[in-house]
Amino acid sequence: MKKINTLLILVPIFCTIFLISLFIYNINKGFNFSDEGFYLLSGAYPSDVKEQFTSFHDYLHLIMLISNNIIFLRCTTLILNVISVFLLSVLLLNLFDNESKNDKMVLIVLIFCSMLTVSALSFMFPQVPNYNTFTISGTLIIYSFIVLFLYTKNIKTSIFVQFLLGFFLAFVCLNKFSSGFILIILSILACITKYFCKRKLIFIAFIFLFLGLLSHMVLYFLVMQNPHLFWSSYKAGFFSMQILQSNHSLNLLRDY
């Protein structure tokens, strides 16, 4: 690989350090009563949420069982982003098989800092974990598994990755269904692309993808919310979105 311009490396590193420093500096400052207050109340009392279009409050409740300290929760937001970006950065190195060890280290730093700088826009101002946090982190993890699936030659490993992919697809769907639906399509296309001429392997991969989705849903219904309440709250949430006169109303789709 040609020598990478030093400035190209230093700029994303500087941006990353600056944004993380800004986040840490503001971590004990300010409070958004409308958004962050809603997140905290939903996470603290998930069973009281009777209308919903997202299940982020159930996952936030699990984190709050460890600690409901707002600084701890805001730190969790940062940690989730850093871990998911780092995982994708490491797996993207599969695209650079012919590079030397030193070049790979430079690339991983460059990719990690660049992606973290972009994703940092979503958590520049500290907030507790919410549906956006879980969706972004879950999406990055799914991208990581897709890259691992495409570049893994071992069939057993690929099938296991499909199971993990399905598990996290369910997680994203429960936090933001529109994002999860797009990622499901992307995962199916990745599977077809890899095993285009091997129909049997495509079928097996689809089965394990489905089993991953199913296992997450079973755990969700066993640990967090029973199916009846889940369906009732989502049905009520959909009805409210239809009649709500705000920028969150489904009627806006008709108007445009």
Side-chain angles (χ1 to χ4, degrees):
M1 184 180 74
K2 295 180 180 180
K3 187 175 181 181
I4 298 177
N5 191 300
T6 305
L7 185 62
L8 183 64
I9 301 173
L10 292 179
V11 169
I13 291 177
F14 172 78
C15 291
T16 301
I17 294 174
F18 172 76
L19 287 172
I20 292 179
S21 300
L22 182 65
F23 183 94
I24 294 173
Y25 175 76
N26 290 317
I27 203 163
N28 63 340
K29 298 177 176 64
F31 183 80
N32 187 324
F33 284 94
S34 58
D35 288 343
E36 203 165 22
F38 167 72
Y39 302 148
L40 288 170
L41 284 174
S42 299
Y45 307 102
S47 60
D48 291 339
V49 178
K50 304 302 181 183
E51 299 177 3
Q52 65 187 60
F53 251 130
T54 171
S55 300
F56 83 93
H57 49 275
D58 292 313
Y59 297 98
L60 178 57
H61 182 70
L62 292 179
I63 299 174
M64 293 179 74
L65 291 177
I66 301 173
S67 174
N68 58 7
N69 181 281
I70 191 169
I71 295 178
F72 167 79
L73 294 173
R74 287 176 172 179
C75 285
T76 304
T77 299
L78 177 62
I79 292 170
L80 287 173
N81 277 274
V82 170
I83 291 175
S84 56
V85 170
F86 179 76
L87 178 62
L88 180 55
S89 301
V90 171
L91 291 174
L92 278 175
L93 286 183
N94 286 301
L95 301 174
F96 304 98
D97 289 334
N98 297 324
E99 307 300 338
S100 66
K101 185 175 181 180
N102 290 336
D103 286 339
K104 283 190 174 184
M105 290 303 298
V106 172
L107 282 168
I108 193 172
V109 171
L110 183 59
I111 294 170
F112 173 76
C113 292
S114 299
M115 288 195 300
L116 190 61
T117 300
V118 173
S119 66
L121 296 174
S122 66
F123 65 90
M124 185 181 298
F125 301 102
Q127 281 193 338
V128 300
N130 53 73
Y131 51 88
N132 288 320
T133 305
F134 293 136
T135 300
I136 292 172
S137 297
T139 298
L140 290 172
I141 291 173
I142 287 169
Y143 284 155
S144 302
F145 286 138
I146 289 176
V147 171
L148 181 60
F149 171 74
L150 290 174
Y151 289 92
T152 298
K153 297 180 180 179
N154 186 287
I155 294 178
K156 290 184 179 180
T157 303
S158 297
I159 297 302
F160 179 67
V161 170
Q162 280 293 98
F163 177 84
L164 295 177
L165 192 56
F167 190 88
F168 280 93
L169 281 170
F171 172 74
V172 173
C173 284
L174 286 171
N175 281 281
K176 188 174 286 188
F177 179 77
S178 56
S179 300
F181 181 74
I182 294 172
L183 290 170
I184 288 175
I185 295 175
L186 184 63
S187 301
I188 291 173
L189 290 175
C191 184
I192 294 174
T193 300
K194 181 168 183 175
Y195 297 129
F196 185 73
C197 298
K198 302 176 182 178
R199 294 183 179 180
K200 184 177 180 180
L201 289 178
I202 291 178
F203 179 71
I204 294 173
F206 282 169
I207 288 177
F208 276 85
L209 185 70
F210 175 75
L211 288 175
L213 280 160
L214 183 63
S215 63
H216 189 109
M217 294 305 300
V218 169
L219 282 174
Y220 177 84
F221 289 136
L222 287 175
V223 177
M224 301 182 190
Q225 191 177 35
N226 69 64
H228 175 71
L229 291 178
F230 175 83
W231 171 251
S232 299
S233 59
Y234 268 83
K235 185 178 179 180
F238 183 79
F239 178 75
S240 296
M241 290 290 280
Q242 286 182 308
I243 63 175
L244 202 61
Q245 296 299 319
S246 74
N247 61 342
H248 291 86
S249 174
L250 292 179
N251 291 326
L252 286 177
L253 297 176
R254 179 194 61 196
D255 296 338
Y256 285 97

